[in-house]
Amino acid sequence: MADRLIRHRLGLMVFFLVVTAFLGYQASMQRMDPGFTKSIPLSHSYMKTYGEYTEAFGGANVIIVALMQKEGNIFNVDFFKALEKATQDVLFINGADRASVTSLFTPNVDFVLVDEEGFVGHRVVDADFRPTAENIEKVHGNLLVSQHVGRLVSHDFRGALIHARLVDKDPATGEVLDYTRVADTLEQIRSRYSNDQIDVHVIGFAKFIDDIIEGALGVIMFFVITLAVTFVLLIFFAGSWKLAVAAMVVSLVAVVWQLGLVHLLGYGIDPLSILVPFLVLAIGVSHAVQMTNAWRLGIVAGMDGPTAAKDAFNKLFIPGATALISDAVGFAVIMIIDIDIIRELGITASIGVAVMLLTNKFMLPIILSYLRFNEAEQARAKRSAEGADHPIWNYMARATRPGPAAAIIVISLVLVGFGASRTSHLIVGDSEAGAPELWPAARYNQDIDVIVDNFSIGIDELTVIAESPRDGCTTYGVMETVARFVWVMRNVEGVQSVTTLSSVMKDRNVGNNEGHLKFYGLPRASYGLGSAMRNIELNQQLFNDSCEAMPVRIFLKDHKAQTLARVVKAVKEFKVPTEGDGAEVRLRLASGPSGVMAATNEAVRSSVLTMDVILFVAIFLCCFFTFFSWRAALCVMLPLLGVSIFANAVMVFLNIGLKVSTLPVLALGVGVGVDYGIYLAARAFFHMREGVDIETAFQKSYREVGTAVMFTAVTMSFGVALWYFSALKFQSDMGVLLAYMFFVNMLGAMVLMPAITRFLIGRGGADSIPPARSAG
């Protein structure tokens, strides 16, 4: 294969350039592609409830705009003018469901009084309202007898909310909602009404994802820094700028091919997976370093360019291809999680690694075959190659001796055991309040804090649907069960408030009985319940048109994993009566933003073990079919398994939750880490097959590929470690985790794998040494 590759190198190089130009054009059209439903596990039972009742009770994609008076209260002319105009602006946001917009100035905000003639309903703010002192004072009085204090106005009357739901498609154009455009409009509202007297705070998925996009684009700076640092280190390592350019070019070509193919398949780049192209670049550099290093050693040995390229191809194609296939498997396995954003990440990463089989294993040898070293470069390459023959490799090879090998394995087992013991402390979901993808000091999180501190509702809403037979709203047993459920949920730690039809009916029953508080309860007769429902319209979203479903809206203080788990557990443990009308009530989780988060957390938790099992089985099979030895496969896989288990302790220590944005990190880290073990094992097993002892085999292997392995691990770890300084906390967390995975996996391959090899292969005789293989 190597002979044919070099023989037809000109034609193949032209083909690669044409493909690069075409896919480069496709990549230039790539765009950010955020989406609310992409982060939802649509097959989860909670999300089936969500989908079934979204049209009747609204979805979870909400925005909240809060106007807060800096001094005094909201009852002044300037504040009411600002609130009215801001409400109109929110009404006309592209993608806003106008029927869902709720503010003091919308007709769906009313109150009910009882006088001598019965119930009297009014809007809190009259339709012909004019901002005069007299009218504002009237609104003040209306609020005091309404149920909107704490919900639409703050408890201390220093702020007011505008609440709206977004639809997935722009109702005006029918196109997928442009979240960047929505966020720009929200920022215009913020700047328009913020002044010396009023602060404006904005939260919701549209604003959140726009902040993520803005922060993610900042990664480009780290990308450029990483490129520059890697290029300089490559020159130092390879002793030639030509080899450094070749390695960087094919790595960048792989990224271009990836982005172009992803665009052709109809996928965009989600802001939460923008790091994937940078990972592909890092993996490309890792493999390119191995190939350029092998070519350089061939040149130092006296070969010409084409011959050295063929020799490098023969030595590295099979282990390199196995490593890349293992990488692709590591990325692809995360697609078992039924969340579109994770599946897209798996597809994107797998494509990026797959194209490296062409760019790094075929295109790079062709480029190397055209390179020539002058005398000065030849001398530098020789000195660099001689530098690889360092005494440290002799010391490291002693790890294969029985005593040191046993000590290394025991220490490793202790660390793995500690990591396993911390698994139970690993949080599945958000470990912090607010948006943990952003830093606590981020403006979005500051806005969340203001709204949560001043209002009884916020964006953390978990909605339970109470289902019953038709006309359940006028059946006492049904409504009594719902009311008892509301009382239980109000007493769960982490719950701020609960709203549902039964609470409103109790208030109306008091009104039906001349305001006597002793009647604060549910009438037992159906006509009494019907009377308590008087003037409650469908647009208030307290029940559906057949009265077979009633949403119970539970507003939480935060959406931490512990809070969600506690509330969901309370819902599941609530005892519905076993007989009577109440027995026909069915409580279905869940809708609302926090319902979506709870479903996502459960989807992640249920998939982690399956994903890990499939990942390591797949890697084991890849290694087995490379070396045709189960012992050899275990030698490569076991260090990866240990590093992955200990990563749990690292996540607990760093207070990083296991969620959509961090779950792929472990799979990515394992997929990349397997490269080190395969390259080193391939050379060691080759030398062992030649008849040398295990210590000598690893001495030679360290000299041949050890420097390249350590260089790529340090370079990749340094590159992703720079993400620690990102404006996005989740990128910072991913950078720390990936730096750990890359570097510690290298230590596992360089130190632990030889020790394991001593006991699995070193004493097994010639039959247990896998055969040497070549690409021929």
Side-chain angles (χ1 to χ4, degrees), residues 53-76:
Y53 289 103
T54 293
E55 184 174 350
F57 303 131
N61 192 357
V62 302
I63 54 173
I64 294 177
V65 178
L67 276 65
M68 302 296 298
Q69 184 75 25
K70 293 182 180 179
E71 296 181 1
N73 57 41
I74 66 174
F75 301 111
N76 62 79

Side-chain angles (χ1 to χ4, degrees), residues 408-438:
I408 290 171
I409 291 175
V410 169
I411 293 172
S412 300
L413 288 175
V414 171
L415 293 175
V416 170
F418 174 75
S421 70
R422 305 302 295 173
T423 300
S424 61
H425 300 277
L426 184 62
I427 296 172
V428 179
D430 290 330
S431 58
E432 300 175 2
E437 289 83 2
L438 304 170

Side-chain angles (χ1 to χ4, degrees), residues 31 154 157 194 230 285 311 365 485 523 659 724 730 736 773:
R31 296 292 182 269
S154 62
F157 295 109
S194 295
T230 302
V285 170
D311 181 67
F485 173 68
K659 51 183 295 185
Y724 177 79
F730 92 95
V736 172
R773 304 187 66 203

Side-chain angles (χ1 to χ4, degrees), residues 296-371:
R296 184 190 60 179
L297 293 176
I299 294 295
V300 170
M303 302 178 187
D304 58 17
T307 303
K310 288 190 288 185
D311 181 67
F313 179 89
N314 286 332
K315 287 181 177 179
L316 298 181
F317 178 78
I318 288 180
T322 301
L324 287 173
I325 292 172
S326 299
D327 292 346
V329 168
F331 300 148
V333 75
I334 66 176
M335 289 190 286
I336 68 170
I337 299 175
D338 187 23
I339 300 176
D340 285 347
I341 185 175
I342 293 184
R343 288 183 170 176
E344 287 186 15
L345 186 149
I347 292 171
T348 303
S350 297
I351 290 174
V353 173
V355 299
M356 287 184 200
L357 284 171
L358 294 176
T359 59
N360 285 60
K361 303 308 173 189
F362 291 94
M363 186 179 182
L364 181 55
I366 291 174
I367 294 175
L368 293 175
S369 70
Y370 283 107
L371 296 184

Side-chain angles (χ1 to χ4, degrees), residues 65-74 79 153-161 193-201 447 450-451 453-455:
V65 178
L67 276 65
M68 302 296 298
Q69 184 75 25
K70 293 182 180 179
E71 296 181 1
N73 57 41
I74 66 174
F79 186 91
V153 296
S154 62
H155 297 284
D156 57 3
F157 295 109
R158 293 185 60 249
L161 293 182
Y193 301 108
S194 295
N195 53 46
D196 294 339
Q197 296 299 319
I198 298 174
D199 275 333
V200 180
H201 307 274
D447 287 348
V450 169
I451 291 173
D453 290 343
N454 289 279
F455 299 88

Side-chain angles (χ1 to χ4, degrees), residues 91-307:
L91 273 167
F92 290 98
I93 291 177
N94 286 320
D97 179 3
R98 293 183 183 177
S100 73
V101 177
T102 305
S103 157
L104 291 182
F105 285 91
T106 56
N108 55 357
V109 177
D110 55 18
F111 68 99
V112 176
L113 290 179
V114 180
D115 60 16
E116 62 275 7
E117 296 182 0
F119 284 103
V120 179
H122 297 283
R123 287 181 55 172
V124 171
V125 177
D126 293 335
D128 58 352
F129 175 83
R130 294 291 182 271
T132 64
E134 181 181 356
N135 288 337
I136 291 174
E137 185 58 31
K138 181 181 177 182
V139 172
H140 188 184
N142 292 344
L143 282 171
L144 291 175
V145 295
S146 76
Q147 295 181 329
H148 301 299
V149 177
R151 298 177 183 177
L152 283 180
V153 296
S154 62
H155 297 284
D156 57 3
F157 295 109
R158 293 185 60 249
L161 293 182
I162 306 169
H163 185 283
R165 298 186 187 275
L166 299 179
V167 293
D168 293 330
K169 291 187 177 180
D170 191 321
T173 64
E175 298 179 354
V176 175
L177 187 61
D178 186 343
Y179 285 98
T180 299
R181 184 178 178 185
V182 174
D184 287 344
T185 303
L186 291 171
E187 279 303 313
Q188 291 172 14
I189 292 173
R190 187 202 298 270
S191 61
R192 189 175 299 138
Y193 301 108
S194 295
N195 53 46
D196 294 339
Q197 296 299 319
I198 298 174
D199 275 333
V200 180
H201 307 274
V202 182
I203 61 175
F205 178 77
K207 190 67 189 75
F208 161 76
I209 204 65
D210 187 67
D211 288 352
I212 292 292
I213 291 174
E214 183 179 346
L217 292 176
V219 175
I220 295 176
M221 177 185 69
F222 299 119
F223 179 66
V224 173
I225 294 174
T226 301
L227 278 178
V229 172
T230 302
F231 182 70
V232 172
L233 292 176
L234 276 172
I235 294 176
F236 175 77
F237 171 75
S240 167
W241 66 268
K242 297 176 182 176
L243 292 181
V245 168
M248 295 300 296
V249 165
V250 294
S251 301
L252 287 171
V253 166
V255 174
V256 170
W257 284 24
Q258 174 203 29
L259 295 176
L261 287 171
V262 168
H263 181 264
L264 283 175
L265 291 174
Y267 293 103
I269 298 296
D270 192 278
L272 293 175
S273 59
I274 193 174
L275 303 178
V276 172
F278 306 131
L279 290 175
V280 170
L281 176 72
I283 297 169
V285 170
S286 173
H287 287 269
V289 165
Q290 294 289 346
M291 185 68 73
T292 55
N293 184 54
W295 182 87
R296 184 190 60 179
L297 293 176
I299 294 295
V300 170
M303 302 178 187
D304 58 17
T307 303

